[in-house]
Amino acid sequence: MIAYALQQLINGITLGMVYGLIAVGYTMVYGIIGMINFAHGDVFMVGAYVGIIVLTAFSGMGIAAVPVGLLVALLVSVALCGVYGFTIERAAYRPLRGSFRLAPLISAIGMSILLENFVQTSQGAKDRAIPEPIPGGFTIMQQHGFVVQMSYMQIAIIVTTLVTLGIFTYIVTKTPLGRAMRAIEQDAKMAALLGVNTNRVISLTFVIGSALAAVAGIMFLSYYGVINFFIGFNAGIKAFTAAVLGGIGSLPGAVLGGLLIGLIESFWSGYATIAYKDVAVYSILAIVLMFMPTGLLGRADIEKV
Amino acid sequence: MTALLEVRDLVMRFGGLTAVSRLSFTAVRGEITAVIGPNGAGKTTVFNCITGFYRPSEGEITIHREDQSTLALHRLPGFAIAKRGRVARTFQNIRLFGGMTVLENLMVAQHNRLQAATGFTLLAVLGLGRYRHVEAEALERAKYWLDATGLTKRADEPAASLPYGAQRRLEIARAMCTDPVLLCLDEPAAGLNPRESEELNALLLKIRAAGCSLLLIEHDMGVVMKISDHIIVLDHGKKIADGTPAEIRTNPAVIAAYLGEGDDDDLDVPVAAQ
Amino acid sequence: MSDVRSAQGGRDTLIRYIRDAGGVGLLALAIFVPFIGLRLHGETNGLVLHYRPKLLVIGVVLAMLARLLVLIWQERRVHQGRAAWRAARVASAGKYVAPALLASAALLPLVPGIANFYIDLGVLVMTYVMLGWGLNIVVGLAGLLDLGYVAFYAVGAYSFALLAHYFHLSFWECLPLSGIFAAIWGMCLGFPVLRLRGDYLAIVTLAFGEIIRLVITNWISLTGGPNGIYNIPHPTFFGLNFNLGGGPGTFSGFFGIDPDPKQLTTYLYYIIFFLALLTNWVTLRLRRLPMGRAWEALREDEIACRSLGINVRNTKLTAFAIGAMFGGFAGCFFATRQNFISPDSFTFIESATVLAIVVLGGAGSQLGVALAAVVMIGIPALLQDLSIYRMLFFGLALVIMMVVRPRGFVSTRTPSIALGKRQQISSELMSEGHG
């Protein structure tokens, strides 16, 4: 049934966009300093929380214009998550740069645990919910009584992601900052010798990555309406999986991986059992990597002998 | 004069780039064969094909054993070339087990022989079987090569802490501990001072005398001309000359190749040879 | 003159400190406002914000003070430069620490009047020591990053739980089986990931751990799903059980003593103690055998290994399998100790904790892993009063410990063979593996 498949496609793309945005943050950090920023998923969670707090503050002040509220929430969240990303890098990763490879990984895991429990203890372990910010949608087609719906929220998410990715691509490809980032990715030592301020660029990478996670957090909040302190873990792992699936270090790969994982989840839930959707995602990851050890778009790792 | 290693119509392509095209040569048992050529001539690629790090696009690489049987190296997985073909190698950028001691490096090299004596490790864990005996033998072999390379005093130091020249020698000692019939050396004299270079020559001749054939890539013509029995010259992935050092010295194609594109390092080769 | 200069320098330092702490204060303000300064209250669709200005100020001031302390500490460290001296001292202390630790571990349950709680805590710590040693084979020796070690722990635990539930097998019958099953799973994981390097390996092992947990959670007809499996038998002592009712067939009845829960706890303690010692002994033996040397060589340089005729694939598989086997043993023990298991015990956080123990222990060091397990499991368990803040501090402590000691507690390696005296090798010289 085409209609049903179409609906899964729409849902999958929406979800995939959220994953893709988070995955870009993973892949950026990986590309530039070669570490897995395990706390990235939790920055996404912080972003969602900041969003719900701003929206609550708005409704507390009696301002009813939801789209304005969402926009402000988005901006505040982007700014604060940027601060989070900056601080995390300075406090937990920079002192470990250039040392043992596993040390930053453990530090990042510690940071992830810290953030989760910080939010849990400060905001409580309960699920927090908001009413649907932009209700409604339009019908794309009808078939045998099955209605294919695309909600305004889904459109908003897809548009926001594309705009965000557009701005991001512009930064990476056209600005001096982007050039410096790519230079460090190629050869950090050489870039430093040529006058690139490595520390500043790495800090900014974290800020930008965290800002993207904040956008994803706001979209998650407004799409699902319910968040808790633990959403960062699951979304983080999925996004990391997406980044690896696409080929870690590759920016288009991250988006592609995110979309694929969104689609796998949505189609698996739609056609097979929802319980095993994550198993399906992870199994497909393992199978893809068996045949393409550096992911779909990752650079093949030629052994220099 | 019997062939030990036979390379026939070897082709190695990377994407659209042909690094080695239709190369054929033979390394004779008991000889030192040198592969020379300007930078980018494809020497290391040939090495990597022989030692199994690259799978050749076309062609055959064969080892002729003493019992007249042959072994097709290009069909073997990388590690089996060292294990079954008994071809050992060193690397242009030294690859030691830096966090392990010099002696440990030499023991790791004897892995296959030692592992066979452990009774699937199970017996050896329990202290049973003939492992102890075999390990003592391995230790003797390690000591022999430590002595031969002048590293006995440094046996218990971590390999990464050795000076450069000693690291080069250790890599050769480690390769020799695998008990090879053919030792492939990728620029063994690179970065050595003249005295160390002399010592290296002596070591290589000693290895040949012990019955192991050598195949070496070298830039240092002092080493090549002095000790090689047979030289193969590559340029742009093709063989342009093949003969004794004396023949190579006067070969016009070789001189042209070096004068045409060699850098200063290479320029003095034919000049020095005249 | 010099007084003036030092006064000048002192003032500069002070200004620098204040500016630095001020910056940290601003960051802390931004970070804390939404979470400490504001708090969400109320139920669904009726959220309101409460303000907590006092708490916010306290938080920011604490952050600034912490930064000042760090600055002062760094200054002192620069001046003293005692790193080398301390490393030497740690190395020499190691000789005494290990036997002392072993002796106190062996005698812990025999301390007169010791509360059951502490023996039980000992059991917990010892379980993690064993897990740490098991994972150390994969991560510390072979240099393969495994983020899904908990999978093998789960396989071991569920092997026993299911065999006990469906076939009424006892702990001692299942212990070897659990290890074997886990080792087989280790190989199953090993095969697809053989070609993967670094972080690709990390994510696949992580995914594998999640797959196992998700399957256990969702295969309700077999495993009971999220409800777990109850009534897993405790181990018996030569056929004697530890029922508190006493009477014939029980440990207390046979020896004619009063039943006491401590008896079971003590028995469990010694089981895990010897299992852990077995892990340690096997690892130490293996390090001196070709297999263990090949693992370490693999960590140092995979390409060189291949050039020496070492079958890299098999070497990786044995590391995975043997590491997994000890994880399986530990899992089997966990099931018998708990009586009850559910998928909740096998989340990623367990893998992360064990990995943290290994990394914090340092450089494949057996002693370091044991110390790290005591610090990371024992101390938080003693701080139970903090309850909800415990994990908060755990995360914070992980970050701080890594920043302070990135190479772990014990950052030297002992050679497996030597002609003369064994010299410790600094982990600075070691490679950490690419897999």
Side-chain angles (χ1 to χ4, degrees), chain A residues 246-269:
Chain A
I248 197 157
S250 152
L251 296 171
V255 179
L256 176 68
L259 280 176
L260 275 178
I261 286 186
L263 289 171
I264 294 167
E265 268 191 36
S266 131
F267 276 91
W268 193 276
S269 315

Side-chain angles (χ1 to χ4, degrees), chain A residues 241 245 280-292, chain C residues 192-193 196 204 207-208 211:
Chain A
T241 307
L245 188 63
V281 169
Y282 296 132
S283 308
I284 287 174
L285 171 82
I287 292 166
V288 168
L289 289 183
M290 246 152 87
F291 296 101
M292 305 172 81
Chain C
V193 304
L196 302 181
V204 175
F208 185 75
I211 288 176

Side-chain angles (χ1 to χ4, degrees), chain C residues 4 150 167 197 327 377 383 393 417:
Chain C
V4 175
V150 76
F167 301 104
R197 307 178 134 248
I377 304 299
L383 301 177
F393 285 120
I417 187 169

Side-chain angles (χ1 to χ4, degrees), chain C residues 24-330:
Chain C
V24 168
L26 281 179
L27 285 178
L29 189 67
I31 284 172
F32 289 163
V33 160
F35 291 98
I36 296 184
L38 303 168
R39 173 121 165 52
L40 290 165
H41 274 281
E43 294 308 320
T44 313
N45 297 356
L47 287 174
V48 283
L49 283 175
H50 288 194
Y51 300 91
R52 299 188 288 198
K54 267 189 230 159
L55 212 55
L56 178 64
V57 173
I58 294 172
V60 171
V61 170
L62 278 180
M64 288 167 72
L65 280 178
R67 179 62 191 163
L68 275 178
L69 285 177
V70 167
L71 285 171
I72 293 166
W73 178 70
Q74 278 175 344
E75 192 84 1
R76 278 172 55 98
R77 208 159 71 143
V78 169
H79 282 310
Q80 294 177 348
R82 301 190 307 180
W85 171 78
R86 204 176 50 196
R89 205 184 57 167
V90 167
S92 67
K95 248 182 281 177
Y96 308 104
V97 172
L101 212 59
L102 185 67
S104 44
L107 298 175
L108 175 81
L110 305 178
V111 174
I114 188 170
N116 198 22
F117 170 79
Y118 291 102
I119 307 177
D120 201 43
L121 178 58
V123 172
L124 182 71
V125 171
M126 206 58 83
T127 311
Y128 279 91
V129 170
M130 175 159 179
L131 284 170
W133 278 341
L135 183 61
N136 198 19
I137 293 175
V138 184
V139 176
L141 294 183
L144 302 164
L145 181 49
D146 185 351
L147 283 178
Y149 192 60
V150 76
F152 309 122
Y153 192 42
V155 167
Y158 270 89
S159 299
F160 172 41
L162 293 173
L163 287 171
H165 186 77
Y166 290 106
F167 301 104
H168 306 290
L169 295 184
S170 74
F171 170 72
W172 292 111
E173 286 161 325
C174 291
L175 184 64
L177 290 176
S178 295
I180 292 168
F181 286 145
I184 292 171
W185 277 103
M187 300 261 238
C188 292
L189 167 65
F191 261 111
V193 304
L194 281 170
R195 282 170 69 204
L196 302 181
R197 307 178 134 248
D199 304 291
Y200 291 94
L201 179 64
I203 183 70
V204 175
T205 50
L206 197 163
F208 185 75
E210 288 290 292
I211 288 176
I212 296 252
R213 188 178 62 81
L214 289 166
V215 169
I216 290 172
T217 310
N218 289 307
W219 195 347
I220 296 172
S221 59
L222 180 75
T223 64
N227 296 328
I229 299 177
Y230 288 87
N231 294 330
I232 302 166
H234 280 310
T236 54
F237 183 77
F238 296 102
L240 300 172
N241 67 44
F242 286 85
N243 287 348
L244 288 181
T250 68
F251 181 80
S252 48
F254 185 83
F255 288 102
I257 47 177
D258 290 335
D260 184 341
K262 253 172 87 171
Q263 289 155 0
L264 175 63
T265 320
T266 308
Y267 183 48
L268 287 171
Y269 181 86
Y270 281 112
I271 291 175
I272 189 66
F273 180 62
F274 283 109
L275 282 175
L277 281 189
L278 177 76
T279 312
N280 184 38
W281 180 76
V282 170
T283 310
L284 290 179
R285 292 288 304 189
L286 285 176
R287 273 200 68 211
R288 296 177 186 202
L289 290 175
M291 188 189 279
R293 286 208 194 106
W295 289 341
E296 290 203 79
L298 190 67
R299 176 194 69 208
E300 297 288 327
D301 195 325
E302 186 175 328
I303 288 177
C305 276
R306 241 196 300 165
S307 82
L308 296 172
I310 294 174
N311 186 333
V312 170
R313 188 192 67 196
N314 288 357
T315 307
K316 283 186 182 174
L317 280 181
T318 54
F320 269 118
I322 292 179
M325 182 181 76
F326 289 121
F329 287 150

Side-chain angles (χ1 to χ4, degrees), chain B residues 82-160:
Chain B
K83 190 177 176 180
R84 291 179 48 207
R86 293 174 68 199
V87 175
R89 73 167 291 175
T90 65
F91 296 89
Q92 196 170 345
N93 309 309
I94 306 176
R95 287 185 172 271
L96 291 169
F97 305 124
M100 304 173 85
T101 65
V102 170
L103 181 62
E104 281 180 305
N105 270 269
L106 301 188
M107 296 303 277
V108 170
Q110 305 182 59
H111 176 82
N112 287 320
R113 197 174 317 118
L114 286 168
Q115 180 66 31
T118 57
F120 297 100
T121 301
L122 214 61
L123 288 180
V125 167
L126 301 171
L128 304 171
R130 61 199 173 90
Y131 177 70
R132 202 184 291 265
H133 175 67
V134 177
E135 195 189 29
E137 274 175 17
L139 194 61
E140 283 311 310
R141 189 191 307 266
K143 279 185 188 162
Y144 173 81
W145 285 107
L146 282 173
D147 193 44
T149 50
L151 290 168
T152 308
K153 273 195 189 138
R154 293 179 172 267
D156 296 334
E157 289 178 26

Side-chain angles (χ1 to χ4, degrees), chain A residues 30 36 53 80 84 96 100-101 117-118 122-123 126 128 233 240 244 248 275 289-290 293-294 301 303, chain C residues 30-31 34-35 38-40 42-43 52 192 195 197 199-200 203-204 218 306 348 391-392 402 432-433:
Chain A
Y30 186 85
I36 306 172
I53 286 166
L80 281 181
Y84 268 84
L96 294 170
F100 199 52
R101 177 175 65 114
N117 287 279
F118 172 60
S122 63
Q123 295 293 359
K126 259 193 286 190
R128 301 290 183 188
F233 176 75
F240 180 32
V244 173
I248 197 157
L289 289 183
M290 246 152 87
T294 50
D301 165 35
E303 274 175 323
Chain C
I31 284 172
F35 291 98
L38 303 168
R39 173 121 165 52
L40 290 165
E43 294 308 320
R52 299 188 288 198
R195 282 170 69 204
R197 307 178 134 248
D199 304 291
Y200 291 94
I203 183 70
V204 175
N218 289 307
R306 241 196 300 165
F348 169 71
M391 286 309 284
L392 186 75
M402 268 356 291
E432 46 200 314

Side-chain angles (χ1 to χ4, degrees), chain A residues 88-232:
Chain A
I88 290 169
E89 193 268 334
R90 282 300 284 264
Y93 306 155
R94 187 173 296 184
L96 294 170
R97 204 181 297 153
S99 99
F100 199 52
R101 177 175 65 114
L102 290 177
L105 179 72
I106 301 294
S107 186
I109 290 174
M111 201 32 116
S112 163
I113 296 173
L114 177 65
L115 280 179
E116 262 166 39
N117 287 279
F118 172 60
V119 174
Q120 187 196 0
T121 46
S122 63
Q123 295 293 359
K126 259 193 286 190
D127 282 2
R128 301 290 183 188
I130 54 162
E132 204 179 350
I134 311 176
F138 57 84
T139 307
I140 294 178
M141 65 179 283
Q142 266 185 325
Q143 190 184 28
H144 313 302
F146 184 84
V147 186
V148 182
Q149 276 266 334
M150 187 156 187
S151 69
Y152 295 131
M153 203 60 236
Q154 285 178 321
I155 296 170
I157 285 176
I158 293 171
V159 170
T160 314
T161 309
L162 292 177
V163 170
T164 312
L165 285 176
I167 297 171
F168 173 74
T169 311
Y170 175 78
I171 293 176
V172 172
T173 53
K174 295 276 161 39
T175 63
L177 171 66
R179 215 162 24 241
M181 279 162 69
R182 282 177 291 141
I184 291 175
E185 191 179 341
Q186 295 286 324
D187 188 338
K189 254 184 218 155
M190 199 61 212
L193 283 176
L194 294 174
V196 176
N197 185 341
T198 329
N199 280 339
R200 205 181 64 113
V201 174
I202 292 174
S203 278
L204 281 172
T205 306
F206 273 86
V207 170
I208 295 173
S210 304
L212 294 180
V215 176
I218 298 291
M219 297 197 312
F220 183 93
L221 170 70
S222 34
Y223 189 49
Y224 291 102
V226 185
I227 58 170
N228 60 45
F229 72 97
F230 204 62
I231 57 167

